[in-house]
Amino acid sequence: MNIEDVKNIAVIGAGNMGHQITLLCGIHGYRTTCTDVKGDILKKAEQFADSYLPERVKKGKLTQAQADQARANITFTPSLEDAVKNADYVIEAIPEILEVKRELFADLDRMAPAYAILATNSSYIVSSRIADVTRRPDKVLNLHFFNPALVMKLVEVVQGPHVAEETAQVSMALCERLDKVGVHLKKEVEGFLLNRILRAIAREAFWLLEMGVASFDDIDKAQVYGAGHPMGAFRLMDLTGLDLAYIGSMERFRETGDPADLPPPSLVERYMKGWYGEKTGKGWYDYTPEG
């Protein structure tokens, strides 16, 4: 397979990442089908597509013809089998739970064409922990987009020892076709490139907060106005989701048994309250009208 053979893309999961990846692919000319087990999430994804594209036209980012074509490229369906039966490339974007992903990839392997590449958008679960449930481990890899996928340019293409060179190269070429900057990791490493760097920063930020050295707001200001970062660790967490930060920490702790990998108390407190960041109206910062 080469990049010219990729015509149809399936996106599994219509949540925050999945629906944006779907739009991204549709805008760049790919026939794209998005599915989700939750009907309300799928409906919201379709509503987002129907509102986002006209807004891009109003802002002069797309012509009306381009927006119409992009919308025509995109289909939403509750059926996993219908979503993947003609797919050349599948992108999974479901929650970061290993066993759930393994069950899904076993289904994808059974339902998708034998030549299709099966990619996971996981930000830290390496594909070698998933590929063995399929009959095509050489075609299973990480294709990690960053949130928000419609805006962020970086995509990490992670080539584990089981991944064929052809699979990695097609995936790098797909990044280019989607107007993204792909970086090729030739070895699997937990956390990949950017998240390992960001995690080190977040660990220090949490230590400073938990020790009472400074408020989360002042820690963020130090990063922005001193280091030139576009946003601080806590503001970034609000954007990506405190629930993801909590679940990721718990998954690492289950793997390592190291108490240092447990989520910090201040994160646990917000997670238990359901304060997941922008998407819930509260996280570290208050995004409600009252706030």
Side-chain angles (χ1 to χ4, degrees):
M1 175 186 281
N2 61 54
I3 190 60
E4 302 301 333
D5 298 320
V6 178
K7 307 293 185 184
N8 299 297
I9 294 177
V11 179
I12 316 304
N16 196 36
M17 291 299 294
H19 74 253
Q20 293 207 28
I21 294 171
T22 298
L23 268 167
L24 178 71
C25 295
I27 288 170
H28 287 87
Y30 289 98
R31 292 189 294 271
T32 309
T33 305
C34 180
T35 187
D36 199 293
V37 295
K38 295 182 178 179
D40 58 330
I41 298 296
L42 195 63
K43 184 177 180 180
K44 286 180 181 178
E46 187 163 8
Q47 290 171 342
F48 179 81
D50 291 336
S51 62
Y52 177 82
L53 291 168
E55 284 298 319
R56 301 303 281 174
V57 174
K58 288 180 182 178
K59 293 179 179 179
K61 301 296 183 180
L62 293 174
T63 65
Q64 187 62 56
Q66 288 171 328
D68 291 343
Q69 184 59 61
R71 187 63 185 88
N73 288 340
I74 298 170
T75 302
F76 296 90
T77 176
S79 170
L80 177 63
E81 188 167 7
D82 286 347
V84 304
K85 63 183 180 182
N86 296 317
D88 305 306
Y89 201 109
V90 180
I91 303 171
E92 167 269 309
I94 68 171
E96 298 279 54
I97 302 171
L98 177 60
E99 287 309 313
V100 177
K101 289 182 186 288
R102 285 175 61 83
E103 290 175 12
L104 173 62
F105 271 74
D107 289 338
L108 294 176
D109 186 54
R110 178 170 51 85
M111 297 175 181
Y115 54 79
I117 291 173
L118 308 180
T120 174
N121 183 55
S122 176
S123 59
Y124 67 91
I125 298 174
V126 293
S127 66
S128 60
R129 302 185 66 192
I130 301 171
D132 63 295
V133 302
T134 75
R135 294 162 294 180
R136 62 183 97 185
D138 60 314
K139 293 182 172 63
V140 178
L141 84 168
N142 289 85
L143 187 77
H144 178 218
F145 292 82
F146 286 81
N147 187 35
L150 282 162
V151 177
M152 298 295 285
K153 297 288 284 187
L154 182 66
V155 179
E156 295 174 323
V157 177
V158 187
Q159 183 179 8
H162 57 287
V163 181
E165 184 66 22
E166 177 184 283
T167 301
Q169 292 307 317
V170 170
S171 300
M172 287 293 290
L174 179 61
C175 293
E176 186 175 352
R177 295 289 178 95
L178 295 176
D179 193 29
K180 298 298 183 184
V181 176
V183 291
H184 184 184
L185 282 71
K186 299 178 182 179
K187 292 183 179 180
E188 286 186 336
V189 58
E190 192 273 330
F192 311 150
L193 291 183
L194 184 58
N195 278 343
R196 290 183 71 91
I197 296 168
L198 294 177
R199 190 188 305 160
I201 293 172
R203 187 179 296 119
E204 281 300 308
F206 269 123
W207 186 89
L208 292 165
L209 177 67
E210 299 290 350
M211 292 298 103
V213 174
S215 68
F216 65 81
D217 186 39
D218 280 343
I219 295 167
D220 275 359
K221 287 176 181 175
Q223 282 186 253
V224 172
Y225 298 107
H229 294 179
M231 65 183 72
F234 298 100
R235 176 69 183 89
L236 178 60
M237 213 178 307
D238 273 359
L239 180 64
T240 58
L242 275 69
D243 53 332
L244 296 182
Y246 175 86
I247 292 168
S249 294
M250 290 302 297
E251 283 291 315
R252 283 193 297 277
F253 172 69
R254 292 187 187 101
E255 292 172 13
T256 66
D258 184 351
D261 288 328
L262 283 167
S266 54
L267 176 59
V268 174
E269 178 187 0
R270 284 165 172 78
Y271 177 79
M272 297 304 293
K273 288 180 177 179
W275 294 0
Y276 298 162
E278 283 191 8
K279 59 188 172 185
T280 61
K282 285 186 179 181
W284 296 101
Y285 297 90
D286 188 344
Y287 302 94
T288 63
E290 296 79 9

